[in-house]
Amino acid sequence: MSEWNTRKSADLYGINYWGANFFRINDQGHVEVKPAGDSGPALDLYSLVQDLQERGIRMPILLRFPDIIKARIELLAGCFARAIEEAKYTGVYRGVYPIKVNQQKHLVEEILDFGKAYSFGLEAGSKPELLISLAQMDNPGALIICNGFKDQEYIEMALISQKLGRNTVIVVDRFSELQMIINASKRLSIRPNIGFRAKLNTPGSGRWSETSGSKSKFGLTPSEIVRGVEMLQAETMLDCLQLIHFHIGSQIPSIQAIKAAIKEGARFFAEIYAMGASLKYIDVGGGLGVDYDGSGKSDSSTNYSEQEYANDIVAILQSICDEKKIPHPDIISESGRALVAHSTALVFDVLGSSEIVLKDFTLPSPDKESRLVQDLYDIYRSLSKENINEYYNDLVEKKRDTLQLFTYGVLSLEQRAKAEDLFRAIATKIVHIARGNPELEDIRYSLEAELSDTYFCNFSVFQSLPDSWAIDQLFPIMPVHRLQERPDRRAILVDLTCDSDGHINNFIDAESGGDQKYLEVHSLEPGHPYYMAVFLTGAYQEILGDLHNLFGDTDAVHVSLTESGGYQIDHVVEGDDVKEVLAYVEYNRADLIERVRKATESSILKGTISRSEARLLLEHYERGLSSYTYLSEESSMPFLPQQKKELSNGAYATNGNGPAGTDNTVHK
Ligand SMILES: *Cc1c(COP(=O)(O)O)cnc(C)c1O
């Protein structure tokens, strides 16, 4: 086998593709973050995680990199500025950040701070989000776009906010809202800035596409738009109509779909303008995709760059406006995912593993075994390249037989155990022989999926990667260290919840744009932690995350790089402790302790528990209520099954390859 190196790891995990120049592997074999691209400073994630743990920040840790947000804002604004300049388009670009993508206060503040130079605004999709926008936005040049379901209170607040100097546009998402806006405006004597959201017929594409046409939840049909224009005209308010908006869904993988939507949207714009509305803005919504797998050709990816996106939008608007001889509108986009996804990564430790691969199997006296075990043993011993196809089919059949014979009471538990071990040993051998042989790809693929090891990971899919569970979204996942070593195991990842859905068994494949059923990882080393990270988790995951099994928010840190090559921690956001998640479901700390205390009192009276045992129990109980909801490295050991077993020469041996990280005193 040839030598392994960090370049091979980079290819294997695709980091140079999905990393978007923000993430690299360094010479030590660690992942590093480079927010300003190749020429800027770098921060070693492995060392960072060690430093953070020394400061008492606990695994799993959500790492946020404000520098990446800055870079993404500059990228997007820069792409539009270039497109506009080159095309001699006469409008300007004005981005707004849709708060729903990640509402965390520090992150919103970072966006407004970095976006100030580009007059970046905010998009609110609900009343609470409008309340955030009104408080946080103090840049009079920036827009606040109000979308979503609106009631009178929402509309009045948006109107009055103009008196604070806020540049608020109320977008009519449903026809009935228009009358409410007109009424409120008369009542308050404030002229509104109104937008119309058009229902496009052009379908989006990909996993997140909105239902289009008459089925879509939001937007006005052509006939509603015509009636709306007439209504405003009758009220002499047509000058208030300033903006046309549309949104065809998130993570649009194909530029063709985007172009088709912009064309239709631009036609709406031109027609409404021709009806007498002095429109100033076109708002093309969100949908700008993130390349989660680096392939450039799947639903998890994009077949276009940010520059192409900007160029196409500008070119289409320009040509339609020029054709109709109307002024070029300012362009608003509501990119959320594309602004914040890269800025966050979740780092977690692997607590232990169970291994399926069986390298060696011998039966001391085969003739004493059941027919089935003997047959399997024969297959195992005589397996070769020539008979692999035939034996594979036998194997599948024997596997079915094993279960049936056991169910009928013909096969003992001990014989079933041997049969299953033999199955693993045969499968391991087949995979070994089939590797590198294109004709045996199918066989290898089906067996490899079954042979994947299980890595027990210290996080909750439901809390930290809800879209992985809910809609099978793929995220790039990889170890953050040991990348100069060949990964010698294939694993699926399971989380801490008791839910059988709490796992990740689909991983990106940057080369094919497909997915693969396992991740290549390194063997765990006793006494040494193994750190992995899920990247590009900054969009949607945090707020959709839930408290399944009462695993709460993780610790989060905002880390900025300094000029001198160091870093500083801007914020530490402590995750939930147990009593906080219990309070969400109405359990009160004092009450819980009181109940347990009473139970100990009566048991002391009955003599079933001693005073010192009772005290120990209460101490543990109180400490438990104040602890992190995830496992700490020291305490992880007793909870996890020591499932790793390796069979050599017919004997089970427990290998000490248990939970990693009992020694966390590694320093740089
Ligand atoms: C969710 C949403 C967005 C954000 O979309 P991204 O694909 O994350 O950029 C923008 N506009 C509206 C109306 C939305 O509902």
Side-chain angles (χ1 to χ4, degrees):
M1 263 197 276
S2 58
E3 289 271 304
W4 192 259
N5 55 35
T6 53
R7 202 173 35 78
K8 289 188 179 166
S9 284
D11 287 345
L12 175 66
Y13 297 112
I15 187 170
N16 294 343
Y17 304 108
W18 54 257
N21 281 330
F22 296 129
F23 300 100
R24 290 270 178 227
I25 300 176
N26 66 17
D27 294 340
Q28 285 80 56
H30 302 163
V31 174
E32 60 180 21
V33 56
K34 301 187 103 178
D38 278 340
S39 55
L43 178 60
D44 183 316
L45 286 192
Y46 181 68
S47 317
L48 174 67
V49 164
Q50 308 228 329
D51 286 5
L52 293 175
Q53 288 189 301
E54 275 173 32
R55 290 166 191 257
I57 294 162
R58 304 155 297 181
M59 288 281 181
I61 304 173
L62 194 66
L63 298 174
R64 300 202 186 107
F65 299 107
D67 298 301
I68 293 186
I69 292 184
K70 180 164 182 270
R72 295 299 293 181
I73 290 179
E74 286 170 356
L75 173 76
L76 195 60
C79 286
F80 272 101
R82 226 165 314 172
I84 284 172
E85 191 184 324
E86 277 171 21
K88 303 205 166 47
Y89 185 89
T90 54
V92 299
Y93 170 69
R94 323 189 44 163
V96 294
Y97 170 68
I99 299 187
K100 74 157 191 275
V101 180
N102 193 329
Q103 299 96 334
Q104 301 294 324
K105 172 168 168 277
H106 298 306
L107 185 138
V108 171
E109 286 174 349
E110 285 155 9
I111 288 177
L112 291 178
D113 186 21
F114 301 133
K116 201 155 204 158
Y118 311 98
S119 297
F120 243 81
L122 293 174
E123 186 260 2
S126 66
K127 204 182 330 182
E129 290 181 357
L130 176 63
L131 299 183
I132 294 177
S133 309
L134 293 184
Q136 296 291 326
M137 171 63 76
D138 57 358
N139 178 0
L143 293 162
I144 297 176
I145 304 287
C146 304
N147 288 326
F149 286 98
K150 301 169 196 70
D151 59 8
Q152 188 172 316
E153 196 178 40
Y154 182 126
I155 290 169
E156 290 190 358
M157 217 153 33
L159 281 173
I160 300 172
S161 73
Q162 294 181 47
K163 302 260 155 158
L164 301 175
R166 305 288 186 268
N167 208 340
T168 317
V169 181
I170 309 174
V171 176
V172 180
D173 278 332
R174 289 172 307 143
F175 189 68
S176 58
E177 290 169 1
L178 183 59
Q179 191 63 57
M180 290 165 71
I181 296 170
I182 293 171
N183 295 347
S185 137
K186 285 185 186 161
R187 215 167 31 242
L188 299 169
S189 300
I190 302 175
R191 286 186 82 74
N193 305 317
I194 296 177
F196 277 0
R197 176 164 177 170
K199 234 177 220 183
L200 298 194
N201 215 17
T202 314
S205 65
R207 216 187 298 256
W208 287 266
S209 65
E210 294 274 275
T211 32
S212 59
S214 55
K215 293 282 188 305
S216 83
K217 192 162 148 190
F218 291 115
L220 309 181
T221 61
S223 105
E224 286 171 333
I225 288 176
V226 172
R227 265 193 294 152
V229 168
E230 287 164 2
M231 261 169 83
L232 287 171
Q233 215 150 22
E235 303 283 351
T236 59
M237 285 175 73
L238 194 52
D239 60 306
C240 298
L241 181 56
Q242 301 187 356
L243 175 148
I244 298 304
H245 169 55
F246 52 91
H247 171 71
I248 59 167
S250 198
Q251 183 65 18
I252 310 290
S254 125
I255 192 70
Q256 290 75 19
I258 290 173
K259 284 163 77 169
I262 305 290
K263 274 184 198 146
E264 190 186 350
R267 290 283 302 126
F268 270 101
F269 182 90
E271 289 296 323
I272 296 167
Y273 194 95
M275 291 168 81
S278 49
L279 297 169
K280 286 202 286 206
Y281 306 110
I282 185 155
D283 177 349
V284 300
L288 174 57
V290 164
D291 195 353
Y292 289 100
D293 71 8
S295 74
K297 56 187 176 198
S298 72
D299 276 4
S300 305
S301 187
T302 53
N303 69 357
Y304 56 92
S305 67
E306 290 80 7
Q307 189 64 62
E308 282 171 74
Y309 175 79
N311 291 350
D312 285 338
I313 289 175
V314 170
I316 291 168
L317 289 176
Q318 187 173 34
S319 91
I320 290 178
C321 290
D322 288 354
E323 191 185 305
K324 295 281 170 188
K325 302 205 166 38
I326 58 181
H328 300 162
D330 287 352
I331 301 168
I332 299 169
S333 81
E334 301 177 342
S335 286
R337 182 187 299 278
L339 279 192
V340 297
H342 297 87
S343 68
T344 302
L346 179 81
V347 184
F348 58 88
D349 47 337
V350 178
L351 300 161
S353 67
S354 72
E355 190 170 90
I356 304 285
V357 169
L358 250 192
K359 298 227 168 65
D360 218 355
F361 191 98
T362 40
L363 280 179
S365 32
D367 41 328
K368 295 209 185 105
E369 309 291 345
S370 65
R371 185 74 249 155
L372 180 81
V373 169
Q374 288 187 27
D375 288 352
L376 282 166
Y377 196 50
D378 286 343
I379 295 179
Y380 175 64
R381 282 190 300 183
S382 46
L383 189 71
S384 72
K385 210 190 240 147
E386 286 65 44
N387 57 26
I388 215 168
N389 266 312
E390 177 194 340
Y391 277 165
Y392 172 72
N393 294 327
D394 283 357
L395 187 66
V396 172
E397 198 181 310
K398 296 271 185 272
K399 193 177 185 204
R400 211 172 37 228
D401 291 351
T402 307
L403 199 58
Q404 254 170 16
L405 292 173
F406 179 73
T407 318
Y408 295 151
V410 179
L411 201 66
S412 71
L413 182 59
E414 186 225 359
Q415 287 293 302
R416 176 176 165 184
K418 281 187 180 149
E420 288 185 3
D421 286 342
L422 269 162
F423 174 81
R424 287 158 50 206
I426 296 167
T428 306
K429 205 166 167 183
I430 292 181
V431 166
H432 186 71
I433 297 173
R435 198 163 288 160
N437 185 339
E439 279 167 34
L440 302 173
E441 278 276 285
D442 287 352
I443 289 183
R444 181 169 68 89
Y445 193 74
S446 71
L447 287 177
E448 265 179 345
E450 286 202 49
L451 285 178
S452 296
D453 299 336
T454 301
Y455 271 41
F456 301 102
C457 301
N458 193 14
F459 76 105
S460 155
V461 167
F462 304 91
Q463 174 61 249
S464 296
L465 293 176
D467 279 342
S468 162
W469 164 69
I471 53 174
D472 295 325
Q473 185 186 342
L474 300 179
F475 292 92
I477 304 177
M478 64 182 286
V480 298
H481 60 135
R482 296 178 63 186
L483 295 163
Q484 75 282 51
E485 286 173 47
R486 179 190 298 277
D488 53 347
R489 293 175 65 174
R490 291 150 189 256
I492 63 157
L493 309 181
V494 302
D495 75 356
L496 290 178
T497 67
C498 300
D499 197 309
S500 54
D501 269 352
H503 61 196
I504 303 177
N505 58 2
N506 249 341
F507 302 91
I508 63 162
D509 183 352
E511 221 171 300
S512 70
D515 45 356
Q516 58 177 40
K517 298 284 168 215
Y518 54 81
L519 186 68
E520 273 133 313
V521 291
H522 304 90
S523 293
L524 301 181
E525 290 173 345
H528 293 281
Y530 189 57
Y531 298 132
M532 301 184 66
V534 191
F535 292 89
L536 315 192
T537 61
Y540 299 103
Q541 302 316 294
E542 282 176 63
I543 205 65
L544 290 174
D546 65 36
L547 294 174
H548 196 12
N549 262 164
L550 300 180
F551 289 105
D553 280 345
T554 67
D555 280 357
V557 287
H558 291 240
V559 181
S560 293
L561 278 67
T562 58
E563 284 304 320
S564 56
Y567 69 92
Q568 72 181 40
I569 296 191
D570 304 334
H571 311 283
V572 174
V573 185
E574 210 176 305
D576 293 323
D577 66 21
V578 172
K579 66 177 174 304
E580 285 168 320
V581 298
L582 291 179
Y584 283 122
V585 279
E586 307 298 329
Y587 294 98
N588 168 281
R589 175 179 184 276
D591 182 46
L592 290 168
I593 293 174
E594 184 56 15
R595 281 167 177 257
V596 176
R597 198 188 56 74
K598 280 200 182 129
T600 59
E601 291 298 336
S602 62
S603 299
I604 289 172
L605 282 182
K606 277 190 244 149
T608 56
I609 191 172
S610 73
R611 279 199 177 72
S612 61
E613 285 167 338
R615 200 188 74 198
L616 188 65
L617 175 65
L618 278 167
E619 277 171 6
H620 278 310
Y621 195 86
E622 289 191 36
R623 205 172 321 128
L625 285 171
S626 300
S627 67
Y628 201 29
T629 58
Y630 296 90
L631 298 195
S632 63
E633 291 185 357
E634 308 82 68
S635 69
S636 66
M637 203 98 100
F639 297 117
L640 276 157
Q642 282 263 345
Q643 287 192 9
K644 167 150 178 165
K645 42 192 178 192
E646 237 170 45
L647 199 68
S648 50
N649 296 324
Y652 280 102
T654 310
N655 178 310
N657 196 359
T662 43
D663 167 18
N664 68 349
T665 54
V666 190
H667 298 279
K668 333 186 239 188

